[in-house]
Amino acid sequence: MRAVSAAGAAAPREGGLVDRYGRVATDLRVSLTDRCNLRCTYCMPAEGLPWAPDDTVLTDDEVVRLVRVGVEHLGVREVRFTGGEPLLRRGLEGIVAATSALRTADGAPVRTALTTNGLGLDKRAVALAAAGLDRVNVSLDSLDPQRFAAIARRDRHADVLAGLAAAAAAGLAPVKVNAVLVRGVNDDEAVALLTWALAHGYHLRFIEQMPLGPHGSWRREDLVTAREILDALAAQFELVAEPAAARGGAPAETWHVGGYPGATVGVIGSVTRPFCGACDRTRLTADGQVRSCLFARDEDDLRGPLRGGADDATLAAAWRTAMWGKAAGHGIDDPTFLQPSRTMSAIGG
């Protein structure tokens, strides 16, 4: 059976999350809250944002049910919890445990991950590992506490370092560090960040700044590009690219670092080196909306049907229809590109 999507194309009613371009989404990003305890300049204004009303945010049980539908009915194999800041979610450990207990159609365990700013991770890393969390990505944009405070608008640098150390000690390895370089602020830290990450056994990932912050705050000429980052690193390190086939749907291009066995560095060039053709992600916002792309301007509601008593098959069909309409690419280079109305903290990374 097939249904007609909003775009007028026929959407499959069976199988996984397929779109019109043949991509299959198996990686689910779940935002657990739009709230954050930092105010990073490239993400939100200093005064913060209007948070979603509590009654619109999915409960723990609702999150788990939709994740289960994704895994058992739609072929999801990996779940990453994001925010806002997911460590602000009190029920995080329970959600992780319930997700970790799920099994795919072929009996494989679901891979679980967390993207966090690291604040409070030192107190929860052990419990998260015990709940079944496999790995963690922690954001750190500068090694200098004063620079960090200028970017994050909070003096919490030491807390992030403590969270990283706790994650490693809890076995959430390899611990990955996400860094966004901002021109004129920390764009001279690429080499220093990699040197530090290698010394601690962390896997560093640089992310190009994307137009997902406060409206009007992103300018392409201010973008520190993947090419600039790689040129800076190559001047100091021997970088050996991983084979393209090994990347799959992963957002980061990855290089092995010569002289450091097992060490890698990655660059996520979302703007200048887009990977839309291999994208395998679907996103669920904290208030129960499906987003087919990080830059999508449209969303499809699952919270309404869920709270209205829809069964799993109905929810799965709605999710398939939402993903069927996914665009070929994010369109940042298109003159008609418009930034999504929601910022990154509300969408979930």
Side-chain angles (χ1 to χ4, degrees), residues 190-196 198 230 232-240 256-258 260 265:
V191 169
L193 280 163
L194 181 53
T195 301
W196 167 82
L198 292 169
L230 288 169
L233 297 178
Q236 297 292 327
F237 299 96
E238 178 190 357
L239 302 181
V240 180
H256 295 276
V257 183
Y260 296 86
V265 62

Side-chain angles (χ1 to χ4, degrees), residues 5-93:
S5 73
R13 279 291 183 91
E14 299 176 351
L17 295 171
V18 183
D19 66 35
R20 293 169 293 173
Y21 303 94
R23 296 167 297 192
V24 182
T26 59
D27 183 341
L28 170 59
R29 308 295 173 98
V30 181
S31 175
L32 296 178
T33 179
D34 62 337
R35 304 187 182 208
C36 189
N37 40 15
L38 296 181
R39 297 291 183 271
C40 296
T41 56
Y42 53 78
C43 188
M44 67 173 67
E47 66 275 14
L49 294 164
W51 307 129
D54 289 345
D55 62 349
T56 68
V57 175
L58 296 177
T59 67
D60 293 0
D61 287 344
E62 289 172 336
V63 170
V64 170
R65 182 173 174 208
L66 290 179
V67 170
R68 180 178 59 76
V69 169
V71 172
E72 296 182 353
H73 294 263
L74 298 170
V76 167
R77 306 185 71 86
E78 179 168 352
V79 179
R80 176 177 292 277
F81 297 105
T82 70
E85 175 43 54
L87 288 175
L88 294 178
R89 184 81 180 221
R90 292 182 180 178
L92 176 59
E93 288 84 355

Side-chain angles (χ1 to χ4, degrees), residues 137-141 143 174-181 189-198 201-207 229 233 237 252-255 257 263-268:
N137 289 51
V138 178
S139 298
L140 181 68
D141 297 326
L143 298 177
V175 173
K176 294 184 179 179
V177 176
N178 295 339
V180 175
L181 298 184
E189 288 198 63
V191 169
L193 280 163
L194 181 53
T195 301
W196 167 82
L198 292 169
Y202 303 144
H203 289 211
L204 182 62
R205 299 290 182 265
F206 291 100
I207 304 175
I229 295 167
L233 297 178
F237 299 96
E253 294 178 83
T254 307
W255 286 261
V257 183
T264 64
V265 62
V267 178
I268 300 176

Side-chain angles (χ1 to χ4, degrees), residues 94-116:
I95 293 171
V96 170
T99 301
S100 299
L102 297 173
R103 293 296 179 267
T104 64
D106 58 3
V110 179
R111 298 188 299 272
T112 57
L114 180 75
T115 296
T116 171

